[in-house]
């Protein structure tokens, strides 16, 4: 497990190249994305490190409902009696996180990209094959009042209900898998769009990145890979260039 302080009051937990974020807000701690099942102990340790307790957590906001972002959501919601927010277009996917749409078959993709095999193997060991759906999610739109008042920005393509969370007071944006800096499906690093093996509509995902240029943020926090501190505009440019 790895924990890093990435922006004022925003902390990244990472296991198996998969990130979840703890955001300090006035109400307590907002969990952004819920990682993989074996990150439960990581979450408890990170809360302790911050001088916090589970009672300080106010809920989970999902950037999208793929299995590797939903891993602890049902457990957090049930055990701590907390809401799990997700964009309404990903509500059904949150119930069944393995039923996501994709442009290409994922079966042979790792064989074409052998650098992905260690990453995908580590995700399996972290529980990627045993993620439970979230039976009771709170569907939201971009006008929802989420603790910490992040600006929710629709970034469809990776999934149709994908959103980014902009925290302008911290000069940071959590982009989920709208772009990543370490692609689990190819093993490549640097800002890039996740390929069609795990993306519903790649052209739409690229168009969503172009729309993100309207936002200014120094720190970009992806769902997979290291934080990008060169600014959102540069991250988008490099992701689009990478293909």
């Amino acid at each position: 497990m790895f924990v890093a302080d990435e922006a004022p009051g925003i902390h990244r937990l990472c296991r198996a190249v998969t990130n979840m974020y703890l955001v300090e807000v006035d109400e307590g701690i907002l969990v952004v994305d819920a990682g993989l099942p074996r990150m439960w102990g990581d979450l408890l340790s990170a809360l302790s490190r911050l001088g916090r307790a589970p009672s300080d957590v106010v809920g989970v906001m999902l950037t999208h409902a793929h299995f590797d972002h939903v891993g602890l959501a049902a457990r957090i919601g049930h055990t701590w009696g907390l809401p799990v927010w997700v964009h309404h277009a990903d509500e059904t996917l949150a119930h069944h996180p393995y039923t996501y749409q994709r442009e290409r078959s994922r079966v042979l993709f790792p064989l074409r990209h052998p650098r992905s095999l260690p990453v995908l193997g580590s995700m399996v060991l972290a529980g990627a094959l045993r993620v439970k759906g979230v039976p009771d999610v709170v569907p939201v739109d971009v006008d929802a009042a989420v603790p910490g008042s992040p600006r929710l920005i629709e970034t469809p393509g990776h999934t149709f209900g994908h959103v980014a969370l902009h925290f302008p007071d911290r000069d940071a944006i959590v982009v989920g898998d709208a772009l990543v800096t370490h692609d689990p499906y190819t093993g490549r690093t640097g800002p890039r769009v996740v390929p069609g093996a795990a993306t519903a509509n790649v052209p739409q995902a690229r168009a969503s990145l172009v729309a993100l240029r309207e936002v200014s943020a120094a720190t970009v926090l992806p769902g997979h890979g290291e934080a990008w501190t060169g600014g959102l505009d540069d991250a988008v440019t490099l992701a689009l260039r990478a293909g």
Side-chain angles (χ1 to χ4, degrees):
M1 190 268 289
F2 174 82
V3 180
D5 304 323
E6 302 292 10
I10 302 181
H11 314 277
R12 177 170 66 96
L13 284 66
C14 182
R15 181 182 288 270
V17 196
T18 299
N19 297 327
M20 62 187 299
Y21 295 94
L22 304 184
V23 182
E24 298 182 59
V25 299
D26 289 343
E27 302 88 338
I29 296 289
L30 174 68
V31 177
V32 179
D33 286 338
L36 294 163
R38 284 199 62 191
M39 295 177 77
W40 180 255
D42 303 342
L43 173 59
L44 296 178
S45 295
L47 288 171
S48 178
R49 172 181 177 270
L50 295 173
R52 301 283 193 157
S55 59
D56 292 314
V57 178
V58 295
V60 180
M61 178 69 215
L62 302 175
T63 61
H64 63 295
H66 278 172
F67 65 90
D68 52 336
H69 294 254
V70 175
L72 292 178
R75 187 172 183 180
I76 292 172
H78 175 74
T79 304
W80 297 342
L82 294 173
V84 177
W85 297 285
V86 68
H87 188 278
H88 61 83
D90 267 15
E91 180 180 1
T92 300
L93 183 58
H95 299 323
H96 308 285
Y98 296 108
T99 61
Y100 57 93
Q101 295 185 48
R102 49 193 174 269
E103 283 192 346
R104 300 174 60 183
S105 171
R106 65 187 178 194
V107 176
L108 298 178
F109 207 84
L111 299 179
R112 299 191 187 100
H113 301 275
R115 283 189 294 179
S116 71
L117 292 173
V119 177
L120 296 176
S122 67
M123 292 175 69
V124 170
L125 292 175
L129 299 182
R130 51 183 178 84
V131 172
K132 294 181 179 179
V134 189
D136 299 307
V137 294
V138 180
V140 298
D141 58 26
V142 294
D143 296 321
V146 175
S149 301
R151 177 187 173 191
L152 302 185
I153 304 169
E154 292 178 331
T155 48
H158 187 63
T159 68
F160 296 118
H162 195 290
V163 296
L165 281 70
H166 183 214
F167 295 90
D169 57 329
R170 308 160 198 245
D171 207 9
I173 184 168
V174 182
V175 294
D177 288 2
L179 68 83
V180 298
T181 58
H182 191 154
D183 178 11
Y185 288 87
T186 65
R188 294 172 179 163
T189 57
R192 60 192 60 251
V193 176
V194 178
T199 294
N201 186 314
V202 171
Q204 187 180 36
R206 292 172 63 85
S208 289
L209 284 186
V210 173
L212 275 181
R213 289 188 188 276
E214 299 177 4
V215 176
S216 175
T219 302
V220 181
L221 302 170
H224 302 277
E226 301 288 332
W228 179 264
T229 57
L232 178 59
D233 190 69
D234 281 352
V236 167
T237 296
L238 291 170
L240 293 172
R241 186 181 300 162

